[in-house]
Amino acid sequence: MYESANVSEEADRTAFRRAEKKYKLYYEQDSKFSRKKKLPKPVDLSALLDFDLILQDFNKNGVLPDGIRVAEADSPVFCIENRPGFYFIPGALSLEEQCKWIKESLTNFPQPPNRTNHNAIYGPVSDLFDSAKANKVLVQEDPTSETCINNNNKWKFYDGEEDIEKAKRRSCKSVPASSLLRKLRWSTLGLQFDWSKRNYDVSLPHNNIPDALCQLAKTHAAIAMPAGEEFRPEAAIVNYFGLGDTLGGHLDDMEADWSKPIVSISLGCKAIFLLGGKSKEDPPHAMYLRSGDIVLMAGEARECYHGVPRIFTDEENSEIGALESELSHESGHFFAEYIKTSRININIRQVF
């Protein structure tokens, strides 16, 4: 679902694509410096919906912008009138909850048998975050070695310089765990999504979604559920974004019943979210997503194109100073160093 650089000229003409290009991060040379220093190209952000400010104004004055309403009286859940089934809950998670799910997303969620984007090349990769923290290196094993024969795994983490040098002398391929962590793009929880076939493969082994995350999803999904029904969290896809990463316009259309919401949790750096219509010709609403925000998409909103054209990783705009401090205080600097230039999104779904 990450955006491809090869976009047709025809697609470039759609309203959704024009919005993506408008808000995407581009660089330009800084004329003040003789060396080729590049700075982010300025972009007009004045048209973005800012639900933090909308909530503040609503609490203070009881006023809402045109086209925005609250889901229920005295509710901090906002809706967009021409996008039925879309719900925005600003600041839904406390700092403590945000820290908890950032740590889970980096340590437990990518653990086998859950699948990640690394499976295709390296097979199951265990303890990636801890290995990166310990400066370990993933080394391709000799196919004739006992490790490969017994474990059917051609890659193994090493942390000793002597072992790494031996591997290099054997002409084995290697990659630092820190590089793999930065290249982690997705992991899957619960029922596993097969990206090659674009469907859920119930035969694949998996770890269940943690009970606490299930309860969190059920609680926030309730307002978007059909009357008398309770949300059943059966699968989750965790997306990891770094500097310059985007998520191109798409539909989440592989679940059986679109009346049930997708529960989308934002963690880390602030981002721009585009909510389009049922055609990419429909001009999208652009809005900020901050750490701790939750978005629900149910019913008609499930048919709307949506994407993330930009995340803000600079200190001035990322708006995660308090989160960094809390993470550093709780768990040391390594989690904070990761999240200061990253965004994590947990999407929880009812599959059947």
Side-chain angles (χ1 to χ4, degrees):
M1 289 194 295
Y2 284 85
E3 181 177 319
S4 170
N6 300 317
V7 179
S8 71
E9 196 172 312
E10 183 178 349
D12 206 33
R13 297 193 190 107
T14 67
F16 197 97
R17 180 58 185 165
R18 288 194 296 271
E20 288 179 313
K21 291 185 70 175
K22 175 181 178 179
Y23 293 117
K24 187 177 178 180
L25 175 63
Y26 293 101
Y27 289 95
E28 60 183 9
Q29 189 170 334
D30 187 352
S31 58
K32 295 179 182 179
F33 295 87
S34 56
R35 294 184 178 181
K36 294 183 178 179
K37 182 176 180 179
K38 293 184 177 181
L39 295 174
K41 187 176 180 180
V43 59
D44 182 5
L45 303 174
S46 61
L48 266 72
L49 289 169
D50 188 330
F51 282 101
D52 265 17
L53 294 180
I54 290 172
L55 177 60
Q56 292 174 30
D57 200 27
F58 179 70
N59 287 339
K60 184 177 180 180
N61 304 311
V63 176
L64 289 171
D66 290 342
I68 305 297
R69 62 179 179 83
V70 289
E72 295 175 352
D74 302 320
S75 167
V77 182
F78 296 100
C79 302
I80 299 176
E81 289 180 350
N82 65 357
R83 295 292 186 270
F86 176 81
Y87 302 83
F88 195 110
I89 313 173
L93 301 187
S94 67
L95 271 180
E96 183 179 355
E97 289 174 308
Q98 292 171 50
C99 291
K100 172 183 174 65
W101 297 118
I102 287 170
K103 290 185 285 186
E104 288 289 305
S105 296
L106 291 172
T107 56
N108 292 329
F109 292 172
Q111 284 288 85
N114 293 344
R115 298 168 68 82
T116 76
N117 56 295
H118 290 319
N119 278 68
I121 297 176
Y122 306 104
V125 178
S126 298
D127 304 319
L128 175 57
F129 186 84
D130 288 341
S131 297
K133 188 176 179 180
N135 294 316
K136 293 185 179 182
V137 174
L138 190 66
V139 177
Q140 186 177 33
E141 292 282 281
D142 180 344
T144 62
S145 71
E146 186 176 345
T147 302
C148 272
I149 294 171
N150 292 341
N151 298 323
N152 195 29
N153 190 342
K154 299 179 181 179
W155 296 83
K156 181 181 177 181
F157 279 119
Y158 287 91
D159 57 356
E161 289 186 13
E162 184 178 342
D163 288 334
I164 294 171
E165 284 303 315
K166 285 181 182 178
K168 288 180 178 178
R169 287 196 294 271
R170 297 198 308 268
S171 299
C172 292
K173 296 178 181 178
S174 63
V175 56
S178 58
S179 177
L180 286 178
L181 180 63
R182 277 295 167 193
K183 292 178 180 177
L184 181 66
R185 289 295 172 263
W186 54 263
S187 61
T188 48
L189 305 176
L191 297 178
Q192 298 290 286
F193 189 78
D194 188 330
W195 294 90
S196 62
K197 298 176 182 176
R198 280 194 53 77
N199 63 19
Y200 290 94
D201 188 341
V202 297
S203 69
L204 291 173
H206 59 269
N207 293 327
N208 291 329
I209 300 174
D211 289 342
L213 186 58
C214 285
Q215 190 54 53
L216 178 68
K218 287 179 181 180
T219 298
H220 289 289
I223 199 167
M225 286 293 292
E229 296 189 46
E230 183 179 68
F231 184 66
R232 297 197 311 272
E234 294 171 326
I237 298 174
V238 186
N239 295 116
Y240 305 83
F241 297 81
L243 176 64
D245 284 342
T246 63
L247 185 63
H250 65 284
L251 299 175
D252 294 305
D253 55 2
M254 300 313 300
E255 291 74 38
D257 185 353
W258 291 5
S259 71
K260 309 302 190 295
I262 287 179
V263 181
S264 180
I265 301 171
S266 287
L267 302 166
C269 292
K270 185 175 70 177
I272 295 175
F273 180 71
L274 296 179
L275 175 66
K278 297 179 182 180
S279 165
K280 285 193 174 183
E281 298 292 348
D282 298 324
H285 295 276
M287 64 199 76
Y288 289 116
L289 277 176
R290 293 180 174 87
S291 192
D293 291 343
I294 288 181
V295 162
L296 310 174
M297 296 182 71
E300 288 189 44
R302 291 291 299 269
E303 303 177 59
C304 293
Y305 285 92
H306 55 282
V308 178
R310 183 169 184 167
I311 69 165
F312 297 91
T313 57
D314 60 293
E315 187 174 351
E316 181 181 356
N317 294 297
S318 62
E319 298 188 24
I320 57 167
L323 178 61
E324 283 184 63
S325 298
E326 185 74 12
L327 273 172
S328 295
H329 176 72
E330 277 190 11
S331 310
H333 76 282
F334 206 77
F335 286 102
E337 280 299 309
Y338 176 91
I339 208 63
K340 72 188 297 183
T341 57
S342 304
R343 174 178 181 263
I344 298 172
N345 179 234
I346 307 174
N347 297 277
I348 306 155
R349 300 129 185 270
Q350 179 171 324
V351 177
F352 302 111

